Amino acid sequence: MKKDFLMGAATAAHQVEGNNIYSDYWVMEHIKHSDFVEPSGTAVDHYHRYEEDIRLLVQAGLNAYRFSIEWARIEPEEGKFDPEEVEHYRKVLDCCAANGVTPVVTLHHFSSPAWLIGKGGWGKPYVVQAFARYVRYVAQELGSKMPYICTINEANMGGQLNKIVADMMSAGKKEGGVQVGTNTGLDLKAIVLGMFEQGKAFHCGPFGVNTFLKPRKPEKERLIMEAHRAAVKEIKEVCPNAKVGLTLSLFDYQPIGDGREAADRLWQEDFGFYLPYIKEDDFLGVQNYSRKIVDAKGAREPAADAPVTQMGYEDYPASIGHVLRKVAEDFHGDMIVTENGIGTDDDARRCEFIQEAFASVEACIQDGLPVKGYFYWSLLDNFEWQAGYAKTFGLIAVDRSTQKRMPKPSLHVLGTLKKGEK
Ligand code: GCO
C-alpha cells in the first residue's frame, strides 16, 4: 500500500460530539412523538475527548481521520458565526496535524441549524446561499488546515429514502432498506402528530419541514447539487489547494433474471443523476455497506439464508470493490472510500469484514483504479440516527455511563492493513 494512501476511520459531528443543541436533529429528537428511539444527548462526548480518540487512531497505525464540522455550532443563529466553535475545530485540526493524521473534513453530515428549517430548509433555493455563506466562512477560518473537504455527506440519501421508506413502512419493516439508521415502525397517528409537532417547533408548519434527509422528490435533488457546486466555488476561491468533493451512498446492485433494466434504473437514480454535478470534482467519496439483488420488479429483500447485519441489509463485504469498479466506468477522478463498515456486536466478524472488504479495494487499486483512501465507518460506536445507540459499527466501544473508551481488536486489524501486514 502506498505510503500516502489515506487509511483511517470516520465519524460525524452529531453522532459522536454530544449536545448539538442548535441543530434540527436536536429538535426532532425532543418532540413528544419523535421517531428517534432515543435522543443523542451527550453522544460519546467526542467534543471533549477528540484528542484521546485521535491518539487511539494513530496508535493503531492509521494515518487519516474523517470527521465533520457542525454547521449548527458554527452558525447557531442565522448570519451569526460563533468564533469559539471555530476555535474548537481549529484545535481538532491542530490535533490531527500534531499526530501526523491527515484530516478529511465533511462540512455537512445530515444535521443542519434549526433556524435553516424555519427558512425552508433543503426544500427552498435559499439553502444554496446560506450553505455557501457558511462554507466560505469555514474555508476562510480553517481552509489552510483542510487538505480534503467533502462538502455534503451522502448528497443522494434523501432521494434513496424517498424511494425506500414507503416500501419499508408498507412491509412493516423498521430498517434495512437504506444505509442509514431509520425507525419506520411508528403508527400513522404518531407520524402525523410528529409532523405537526415538528412544524410548530421549526415555525414552518407540518408540511414545510425540509430537513436534509426528509424524503424528497427528484426536483429537490437539484438544490442539493446546486449547494454543492456553490460550496466548491467558495472553497476554491479561498483555499485553491484543497481537494474538494462530496460523498454518495451507493449500493452494489446485482441483477438476476430480467433484473438488468431495474438495476440500471436504480444506479441511474443513485449515481447517474449526480454525475454531471461532480464530474469536475477533485474526488468522489464512495460510501457502500452492502449489495442488493435486483430482479425485474426491483431490489429484493436479502435471501432468507443470507447473513445480515444489525441494520437489516446483507453482510456482504465484497460490495465495496464492485461499487468502486462501477463508479470508475463513468467517474474518472480520484475515489476515496469515505465510508464502509459493519454494524455488528461480533468484533471477530468485523475483523473478517474489514479484511475481506479491504482486499476488494486493494484488487481495484492493483487493477489501476485511482482509489486514494479507505475510511472505516466508524471510529467509535455512536448515535445511529433514528435507530439510536444499539447499532454498533465502531472500532472502539464506549461505555456511555463513563465515556470510557474500549478499543476492539478490529481497530488493530485495520491498522495492520495500513502497514501492509495481513
Ligand atoms: C450514512 C451516514 C452515517 C451512518 C453510517 C452507518 O452513511 O448513512 O454517513 O452517518 O451512521 O452509514 O449507517
Side-chain angles (χ1 to χ4, degrees):
M1 190 49 61
K2 283 188 175 175
K3 188 169 174 5
D4 61 353
F5 184 82
L6 300 173
M7 191 73 159
T11 63
H14 190 77
Q15 295 179 267
V16 297
E17 288 182 344
N19 296 317
N20 192 12
I21 62 174
Y22 297 112
S23 70
D24 53 354
Y25 270 77
W26 193 265
V27 171
M28 294 188 289
E29 292 165 16
H30 292 91
I31 57 170
K32 185 177 178 190
H33 291 85
S34 171
D35 63 342
F36 287 76
V37 298
E38 58 192 321
S40 52
T42 55
V44 291
D45 196 30
H46 184 66
Y47 188 89
H48 300 107
R49 299 168 190 264
Y50 63 87
E51 289 170 298
E52 175 187 1
D53 297 334
I54 291 170
R55 265 201 309 275
L56 288 170
L57 176 145
V58 173
Q59 286 160 6
L62 301 173
N63 70 352
Y65 176 41
R66 177 181 177 237
F67 64 96
S68 73
I69 289 178
E70 178 55 52
W71 184 358
R73 293 188 195 278
I74 297 293
E75 192 180 359
E77 282 182 59
E78 183 180 6
K80 289 186 183 169
F81 297 112
D82 184 341
E84 288 181 14
E85 294 302 340
V86 172
E87 192 50 33
H88 166 75
Y89 289 108
R90 193 188 317 282
K91 287 177 184 167
V92 178
L93 288 163
D94 288 347
C95 179
C96 289
N99 285 280
V101 170
T102 300
V104 175
V105 181
T106 306
L107 298 181
H108 186 275
H109 197 125
F110 294 173
S111 50
S112 306
W115 60 259
L116 179 75
I117 310 309
K119 303 276 290 190
W122 293 86
K124 292 276 177 60
Y126 172 62
V127 68
V128 176
Q129 170 192 339
F131 186 60
R133 180 178 61 207
Y134 152 66
V135 168
R136 185 172 193 93
Y137 177 74
V138 171
Q140 286 168 336
E141 292 293 325
L142 304 171
S144 62
K145 298 172 182 283
M146 303 193 295
Y148 292 88
I149 300 173
C150 304
T151 56
I152 295 171
N153 176 72
E154 297 200 340
N156 62 343
M157 180 53 79
Q160 287 183 340
L161 284 167
N162 186 49
K163 285 188 296 188
I164 293 168
V165 163
D167 296 346
M168 286 164 61
M169 292 176 77
S170 58
K173 273 173 63 71
K174 282 182 69 173
E175 59 204 358
V178 290
Q179 298 179 142
V180 63
T182 54
N183 175 25
T184 55
L186 300 183
D187 64 42
L188 187 58
K189 182 182 173 193
I191 291 168
V192 171
L193 287 172
M195 278 175 64
F196 278 83
E197 290 160 6
Q198 284 189 18
K200 188 171 177 217
F202 288 122
H203 313 294
C204 60
F207 304 103
V209 177
N210 289 300
T211 53
F212 181 77
L213 284 191
K214 176 83 176 275
R216 54 179 176 257
K217 298 284 184 262
E219 63 275 10
K220 292 286 194 274
E221 294 304 299
R222 284 181 180 76
L223 275 183
I224 308 285
M225 299 317 286
E226 284 171 23
H228 166 65
R229 296 304 314 154
V232 171
K233 179 173 175 297
E234 298 294 348
I235 294 166
K236 288 296 186 183
E237 279 178 15
V238 174
C239 33
N241 297 328
K243 291 185 184 299
V244 192
L246 55 66
T247 84
L248 291 175
S249 163
L250 296 169
F251 272 100
D252 171 16
Y253 291 119
Q254 297 185 359
I256 57 167
D258 298 334
R260 165 57 61 195
E261 187 181 330
D264 289 349
R265 185 181 69 251
L266 288 167
W267 184 255
Q268 170 59 23
E269 290 166 355
D270 288 359
F271 176 74
F273 170 84
Y274 303 89
L275 188 57
Y277 297 93
I278 62 173
K279 278 178 105 72
E280 307 308 318
D281 287 355
D282 298 314
F283 68 88
L284 173 64
V286 175
Q287 307 195 170
N288 162 262
Y289 291 83
S290 187
R291 70 170 173 180
K292 284 192 173 184
I293 306 289
V294 183
D295 62 23
K297 285 186 285 182
R300 283 185 172 180
E301 291 295 311
D305 60 348
V308 295
T309 76
Q310 287 173 341
M311 299 294 283
Y313 44 68
E314 189 174 354
D315 172 351
Y316 186 81
S319 60
I320 183 60
H322 299 159
V323 164
L324 287 168
R325 294 176 191 276
K326 182 75 175 168
V327 167
E329 289 174 9
D330 298 305
F331 179 81
H332 304 305
D334 289 348
M335 294 181 284
I336 299 174
V337 177
T338 41
E339 284 184 30
N340 174 247
I342 180 171
T344 179
D345 56 8
D346 175 359
D347 196 60
R349 176 58 196 151
R350 181 178 286 103
C351 292
E352 293 169 346
F353 180 98
I354 288 171
Q355 288 166 326
E356 291 171 42
F358 193 68
S360 75
V361 173
E362 277 188 311
C364 291
I365 296 169
Q366 281 152 16
D367 290 346
L369 271 65
V371 183
K372 302 302 180 185
Y374 176 89
F375 290 85
Y376 175 84
W377 180 272
S378 177
L379 178 64
L380 298 152
D381 285 344
N382 62 55
F383 183 66
E384 183 53 33
W385 309 109
Q386 276 82 343
Y389 289 101
K391 312 301 183 187
T392 47
F393 282 84
L395 299 167
I396 300 170
V398 180
D399 175 346
R400 290 189 60 237
S401 64
T402 62
Q403 297 294 5
K404 182 176 185 301
R405 270 72 173 137
M406 295 163 281
K408 305 175 190 177
S410 52
L411 174 63
H412 173 72
V413 165
L414 187 68
T416 53
L417 290 176
K418 168 61 189 156
K419 296 171 197 149
E421 304 159 2
K422 292 296 174 205

